[in-house]
């Protein structure tokens, strides 16, 4: 990976450590959940790389039974506390795992991932979590597009393209239902960030 550091457990644990100052970690729920999966009937859902649980909790408030999975114990401790404070403990579970080598013995009606970029690289990660979608289920991928011109830039290995992602979801097994890129400004930790996002939603046909 072309990065000045590794995106390993230590990196993410430091990222989510409760002592971190100038907190840019708790961003508002991203707009793609409402736009892309707001119409789906609730079922079971996995948030792969859930961080402090913002998107998982959004799903839980809408009736989903959610598994939030992350490599960072600190992130999951925050997510657990937020779920408890929101009265959502019974509809959420938090699992500390390295998703790149996890072998869950179940499948979910919905798998989402938002800006997770593990060391395995983006497309291998997306292919892996796609294998955990139940028949007739949906996957929603929100990732970073390579963009060196803006403040929240990411190295190539942490980014993906719309074309690269959609090539993972081919007929007859999958139908891509939505795909686009979007730039948006986000306010987090007292500062504005510009994000360039790639969004792909696909349904498992068989
Ligand atoms: C940029 S954060 C995004 C967090 C959250 N989804 C959001 O949108 O705010 C990426 C998340 O992926 C998690 N992550 C990275 N590599 C992972 C791995 N191998 N297994 C599980 N989680 C991982 C990190 O701990 C972190 O919480």
């Amino acid at each position: 990976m072309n990065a000045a550091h590794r995106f390993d457990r230590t990196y993410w644990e430091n990222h989510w450590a409760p002592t971190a100052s100038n907190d840019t970690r708790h961003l508002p729920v991203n707009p793609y959940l409402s736009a892309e999966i707001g119409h789906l009937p609730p079922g079971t859902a996995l948030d792969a790389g859930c961080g402090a649980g913002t998107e998982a909790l959004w799903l839980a408030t809408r009736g989903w039974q959610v598994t939030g999975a992350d490599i960072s114990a600190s992130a999951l401790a925050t997510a657990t506390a937020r779920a408890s404070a929101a009265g959502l403990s019974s509809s959420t579970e938090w699992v500390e795992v390295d998703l790149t080598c996890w072998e869950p013995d179940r499948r979910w009606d919905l798998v989402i991932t938002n800006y997770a970029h593990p060391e395995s690289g983006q497309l291998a990660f997306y292919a892996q979590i796609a294998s955990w979608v139940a028949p007739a289920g949906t996957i929603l991928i929100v990732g970073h597009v390579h963009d060196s011109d803006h403040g929240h830039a990411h190295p190539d290995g942490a980014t993906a393209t719309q074309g690269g992602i959609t090539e993972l979801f081919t007929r007859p097994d999958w139908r891509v239902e939505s795909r686009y890129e979007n730039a948006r400004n986000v306010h987090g930790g007292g500062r504005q960030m510009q994000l360039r996002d790639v969004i792909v939603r696909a349904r498992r046909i068989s």
Side-chain angles (χ1 to χ4, degrees), residues 13-172:
E13 195 53 33
N14 289 336
H15 175 79
W16 290 114
T19 53
S21 60
N22 188 23
D23 199 336
T24 59
R25 302 166 298 168
H26 302 307
L27 300 178
V29 65
N30 77 56
Y32 311 114
L33 269 66
S34 162
E36 296 298 325
I37 56 177
H39 65 289
L40 293 179
T44 60
L46 169 70
D47 185 354
C50 64
T54 301
E55 280 72 29
L57 294 174
W58 184 92
L59 288 171
T61 59
R62 284 154 184 79
W64 292 83
Q65 191 68 38
V66 188
T67 305
D70 204 281
I71 201 169
S72 165
S74 292
L76 294 172
T78 302
T80 301
R82 293 175 80 193
S84 174
L88 294 169
S89 296
S90 63
S91 52
T92 51
E93 63 172 347
W94 308 101
V95 187
E96 184 184 338
V97 284
D98 181 344
L99 287 159
T100 63
C101 51
W102 195 32
E103 295 182 357
D105 58 3
R106 55 175 296 198
R107 299 293 177 262
W108 289 267
D109 301 320
L110 172 67
V111 173
I112 64 171
T113 189
N114 305 282
Y115 306 117
H117 41 92
E119 289 208 295
S120 60
Q122 290 311 110
L123 296 185
F125 174 63
Y126 295 150
Q128 184 174 15
I129 65 172
S131 72
W132 303 337
V133 177
T138 291
I139 185 166
L140 175 66
I141 292 170
V142 178
H144 296 295
V145 176
H146 177 72
D147 181 7
S148 55
D149 296 335
H150 297 100
H152 200 61
H154 285 78
D156 284 346
T159 65
T161 63
Q162 197 187 134
I165 298 171
T166 52
E167 277 177 18
L168 299 173
F169 300 103
T170 52
R171 289 171 182 267

